[in-house]
Amino acid sequence: MATPITVSPLARPLPDLATVPGVRLSAIAAGIRYAGRTDLMLAEFVPGTIAAGVYTKNQCPGAPIEWCREALKTPTARALLVNAGNANVFTGRAGRQTVEDCATALAAQLSCPKDEIFLASTGVIGEVLPPERIINALPAAQAGLSDAHWAQAARAIMTTDTFPKAARRDITISGTPVRIQGIAKGSGMIAPDMATMLAYVVTDASLPQDVLQTLLTRFCQKSFNAITVDSDTSTSDMLMAFATQQAPHAAITDADAPALESFRTALQEILQELALLVVRDGEGATKQIRIDVTSAVSDISAHKIALSVANSPLVKTAIAGEDANWGRVVMAVGKSGEPADRDLLAIAMGGVWIAKEGSVVTDYDETPVVAHMKGQDIDITVDLGLGTGTATVWTCDLTHGYIDINGSYRS
């Protein structure tokens, strides 16, 4: 049996999940790396389902990433196949052949073109992924398909995750009920520039690919590209959305169409909710941290400064130790390389302004800040006093648990 894991103290339970018309899922044990647990997830979509995707910017991507980028040139999707335990990264020709073989086998099983098959792998880098373990499991995966297996699918794609992650919204488009539901995995090797993990969102909305892709890319920026656990951008990760076209609402041709207002809000909320669940499951995390940067010279500059604070080991370890060491925040702002003026800078923690105009606030009382640092949700605000740029980034603290997990990841 699999070794029991300690669930993150920041964990959230799965929400009430429901069926999404046009998709069925299964989760089985293919024996890829883990014993006593499922490690292969299959999602089957009705013909005509539209796909959109955002993929990692890591320059050493896995073979599945290269396959999906190419497959996305065809707008339709019939299946998504995800394995956990082996990332199929840095495996050369063997890795590409595994992807080709698995896609070909699944396409034959579903009687569809292989470029309608999307694949993902997550786990250890540098080990050849035997295609026969996946291919041999495909008949059982297809036999186990059900429109109710969302929770099982969320668990099957986990690696160092300590809890499954999902989100759901029900809205309307032009008066027609529409559902959006998604799952994600991610715990470590989490940093912006998409992706940061694996995340899959399915809706029964009837949307063309350009509309779906536009919205996914737009909302990715303030969700998955606004979180960081350890500043490391994975080689394998992706965010994908699938629209099964089953909801009979009026045709949509513009991502900014008024009829899509509630859909846009719901999609943005789901992506942010999934992204924050990844932060809450950061390897060894005990606290979630929100960094708000205001009055920077631009939004881009504010984002870079927020990331500098979020990725600072000194800031993250101070918060792990419940130390309101605002000097480390000043350091992280200054090292970002972005415009900053020491004599205009202001720092707040837990809504309490600690430093303004280059020095500690007169009569500063640390008592409420100390109390805030003992909680699980930490807020840091940085005001540059230079312009109108703003950004928000989420991260987690850095504890010895991160070393424990990553020091023994391959064993």
Side-chain angles (χ1 to χ4, degrees):
M1 295 296 292
T3 302
I5 58 173
T6 301
V7 177
S8 167
L10 308 177
R12 293 290 184 266
L14 282 172
D16 290 331
L17 299 175
T19 61
V20 179
V23 60
R24 299 189 301 159
L25 307 99
S26 66
I28 66 168
I32 295 166
R33 184 176 191 88
Y34 304 111
R37 56 154 284 188
T38 57
D39 57 2
L40 187 67
M41 184 274 279
L42 172 63
E44 179 198 48
F45 307 108
V46 295
T49 294
I50 295 298
V54 185
Y55 304 106
T56 182
K57 291 185 179 178
N58 191 296
Q59 295 302 299
C60 297
I65 292 291
E66 295 174 326
W67 176 273
C68 287
R69 283 175 175 154
E70 188 64 26
L72 199 63
K73 294 177 182 178
T74 299
T76 51
R78 281 300 315 282
L80 168 69
L81 184 66
V82 184
N83 76 269
N86 185 314
N88 196 11
V89 172
F90 215 72
T91 49
R93 183 178 299 174
R96 292 189 292 273
Q97 192 63 53
T98 291
V99 169
E100 177 81 27
D101 291 347
C102 291
T104 299
L106 184 53
Q109 204 166 286
L110 298 179
S111 300
C112 70
K114 63 183 179 182
D115 58 8
E116 290 190 330
I117 305 295
F118 289 85
L119 303 103
S121 298
T122 179
V124 173
I125 291 172
E127 295 183 5
V128 173
L129 174 60
E132 63 273 8
R133 294 189 185 178
I134 295 176
I135 293 171
N136 291 342
L138 290 180
Q142 186 177 25
L145 288 168
S146 167
D147 57 7
H149 283 172
W150 281 89
Q152 294 90 327
R155 292 185 175 92
I157 63 176
M158 292 166 51
T159 51
T160 58
D161 303 60
T162 69
F163 64 92
K165 304 163 183 68
R168 167 191 165 190
R169 295 290 187 279
D170 293 321
I171 50 94
T172 61
I173 298 177
S174 300
T176 300
V178 169
R179 178 162 293 151
I180 313 174
Q181 192 158 273
I183 60 175
K185 66 81 54 182
S187 185
M189 205 181 288
I190 304 296
D193 287 332
M194 206 53 216
T196 47
M197 24 39 61
L198 303 182
Y200 304 107
V201 175
V202 184
T203 177
D204 57 339
S206 299
L207 301 175
Q209 188 186 46
D210 61 339
V211 169
L212 189 61
Q213 185 66 56
T214 295
L215 295 178
L216 193 69
T217 302
R218 179 187 301 174
F219 298 141
C220 174
Q221 290 308 111
K222 292 191 176 182
S223 57
F224 292 113
N225 277 354
I227 64 171
T228 177
V229 167
D230 48 21
S231 81
D232 288 332
T233 300
S234 174
T235 57
S236 305
D237 299 336
M238 65 176 69
L239 164 65
M240 291 199 70
F242 301 91
T244 65
Q245 316 292 307
Q246 300 301 292
H249 56 75
I252 300 291
T253 59
D254 183 356
D256 294 312
L260 271 188
E261 181 177 0
S262 61
F263 182 90
R264 286 191 295 269
T265 298
L267 179 61
Q268 184 172 17
E269 289 176 351
I270 278 187
L271 295 184
Q272 187 173 94
E273 187 174 331
L274 291 173
L276 293 187
L277 287 171
V278 171
V279 170
R280 300 188 78 85
D281 204 14
E283 290 170 341
T286 64
K287 299 177 187 294
Q288 179 177 278
I289 308 164
R290 172 175 173 151
I291 298 109
D292 290 299
V293 174
T294 61
S295 302
V297 296
S298 68
D299 289 350
I300 292 175
S301 180
H303 186 71
K304 291 179 179 178
I305 291 168
L307 281 175
S308 182
V309 176
N311 283 324
S312 167
L314 288 178
V315 172
K316 291 158 73 74
T317 50
I319 292 172
E322 301 180 347
D323 178 11
N325 193 335
W326 60 272
R328 292 184 175 180
V329 177
V330 174
M331 172 279 300
V333 171
K335 77 168 186 175
S336 70
E338 292 299 306
D341 186 328
R342 177 197 60 205
D343 296 331
L344 297 176
L345 184 65
I347 306 292
M349 290 185 173
V352 177
W353 291 103
I354 301 172
K356 288 186 176 182
E357 299 177 347
S359 62
V360 178
V361 172
T362 303
D363 298 326
Y364 163 59
D365 180 5
E366 195 174 57
T367 304
V369 180
V370 169
H372 178 71
M373 299 302 289
K374 293 185 181 300
Q376 289 187 339
D377 294 280
I378 308 301
D379 295 321
I380 298 173
T381 302
V382 176
D383 189 290
L384 277 297
L386 297 174
T388 59
T390 62
T392 299
V393 166
W394 290 266
T395 189
C396 58
D397 57 343
L398 182 60
T399 71
H400 202 283
Y402 184 86
I403 299 172
D404 293 339
I405 291 167
N406 285 283
S408 59
Y409 181 55
R410 294 196 304 165
S411 60

